[in-house]
Amino acid sequence: MTISLPTSQDVAWELCPACSAIVYRPRLARDGHVCPECGHHHRLSAADRLATVVDDGSFVPAGSRVRSGDPLAFTDSRPYTERLEQARRRTGLDDALVHGTAAIGGRRVVVAVMDFAFLGGSMGSAVGETITRACERALRERSPLILVICSGGARMQEGALSLMQMAKTAQAMRRLQREGVLSVCVLTDPTFGGVTASFATLGDVLVAERGALIGFAGPRVIAAATREELPPGFQSAEYLAGRGMLDRVEPRDGLRPLLARLLSVTAPATSAPLAGDGPSPVVRDPAELTGVLTPYETLRVARDTRRPTALDYIWHMCSDFVELHGDRLHGDDPAIVGGPGVIDGTPVMIIGHQKGHDTEELVRRNFGLSHPEGYRKALRLMRLADRLGLPVVTLVDTQGAAPGVGAEERGQSWAISECLAGMSELSVPVVSTVIGEGGSGGALALALANRVLMLRHAVYSVISPESCSTILFGDPAQGPRMAEALRVTAPELLRLGVVDGVVPEPPGGAQEDPERAMGALKAAVLDALRELSGLDGDELRKQRYERFRGLGVFEDE
């Protein structure tokens, strides 16, 4: 059987470059230019791309027109000026970038979109200037910046001036971050070279379209230089996400909804958090905390896999939550989850240790024992919250930091110490709650806060009682005795000043009535945020410093 392939005159059909399926063009357009057979995301023009990410009819192009000149009088097989004119005629664009203002989910943004059809989306002087102007406009208007990127890299025909656009755009993006204006970079296929190594990877949030190839040097260049076989999926969005370089990988039809949610959950609150209904549930007097459980029995309740996890609390407390991923260095640690969310109208950055309810999830999340990349992810999100003016809420539930050769080689101690020091510098309110087991520096790394709370049947300790017993007695059998000696329970820790308040739990623990327990925690967090809302950055840092400065029992001689 012979199949005739479409010709240039047969405009109703198109050959998918990924699977070689012959696709009916009207259907391809209806599907957002995603192959219905294999899911390959075809490249889009700037106009088509705008139609996929901004609200219909909302785009208003910038008034100025920026075009690259010919600073080198460059000629290869043809003069650069001829190539520019041909690209302008073919695309209808002045250069490889379109920018202006638009709305996404009804929220105003500054948006810039690259078009690969214009000289491979390469960055010359015009692209660098336009990106910089977009950053400056976003800063001037205090509007989020959305960049949609598709580029082969720097534009060779402009020589060193093209190279300088990397510095120009990088400093513009950093200035935007320093001033607390959200930037989101959407990386599409392909994103390479000097564009990737400058503004494209400097966004507060990095989102990649499914299947996009992203890197510095191209795969063929790398293979030729190293003479090595490249790993499967090398430089794909999914490959990079697995190595902590991206926050999200989304299908094309998921980009606009995700951007709309991001804009919504990161918008600074216009008023202080509202007080909850009725009195605060937080207990501040140890004498009010009575119970019949021994410390070790309390520990067993805290470890019960039926207890609500961090994600359970997050989704109960937040009307929306956008999980972000990766430490931008090594990987994404599923033992720590985090991202912006909204609690009763108050946008926050919420971060927590995540364990799980079943064996599969417990193993996948390493029982909540975080590796260095987890703490680096947490600190990255806290610093993003600081720039955007979002309070930080953390949920602590871990026996400690992950032990192991890999964790040590990747700098476990350095990651924890940087997390602690970074939290001390935040200029936004920080509220931490121990929801299960708070173990060692792995727990404290998320708990250097203005307000530290714990649930009634949670525990918090320098070491697990079993490990303490093993070190002191040679076996873990003295764990119950050590649990009592270490004073790991809420009444003792409240008496010592380690925690500021205790959130009551239902009889038998949060696992016996999760809805009630989660409601109490939400009320306690909102109450703490309301108490801290009147303090400025300097006051919050000072209060946090003095809170921990005053802890300890010692004698002066």
Side-chain angles (χ1 to χ4, degrees), residues 495-496 549-556:
R495 190 173 294 111
L496 291 170
R549 176 69 177 81
L551 293 177
V553 177
F554 52 88
E555 296 179 358
D556 276 324

Side-chain angles (χ1 to χ4, degrees), residues 128 298 375 466:
T298 302
Y375 293 113
E466 296 89 349

Side-chain angles (χ1 to χ4, degrees), residues 175 206 265 298 301 406 468 501 510 518:
R175 184 182 178 206
L206 300 184
V265 298
T298 302
V301 172
C468 180
M518 293 187 289

Side-chain angles (χ1 to χ4, degrees), residues 261 309-323 350 395 518:
R261 291 173 60 211
T309 66
L311 282 175
D312 293 329
Y313 282 108
I314 288 170
W315 281 112
H316 177 87
M317 294 193 294
C318 296
S319 56
D320 197 7
F321 165 70
V322 179
E323 186 176 354
I350 189 162
L395 305 172
M518 293 187 289

Side-chain angles (χ1 to χ4, degrees), residues 419-461:
C419 215
L420 291 170
M423 291 189 80
S424 75
E425 295 175 335
L426 298 177
S427 60
V428 294
V430 184
V431 177
S432 297
T433 302
V434 183
I435 60 172
E437 188 172 7
S440 190
L444 181 61
L446 296 190
L448 201 159
N450 297 95
R451 293 286 187 276
V452 181
L453 309 174
M454 69 184 295
L455 295 183
R456 175 62 180 88
H457 295 301
V459 295
Y460 198 8
S461 177

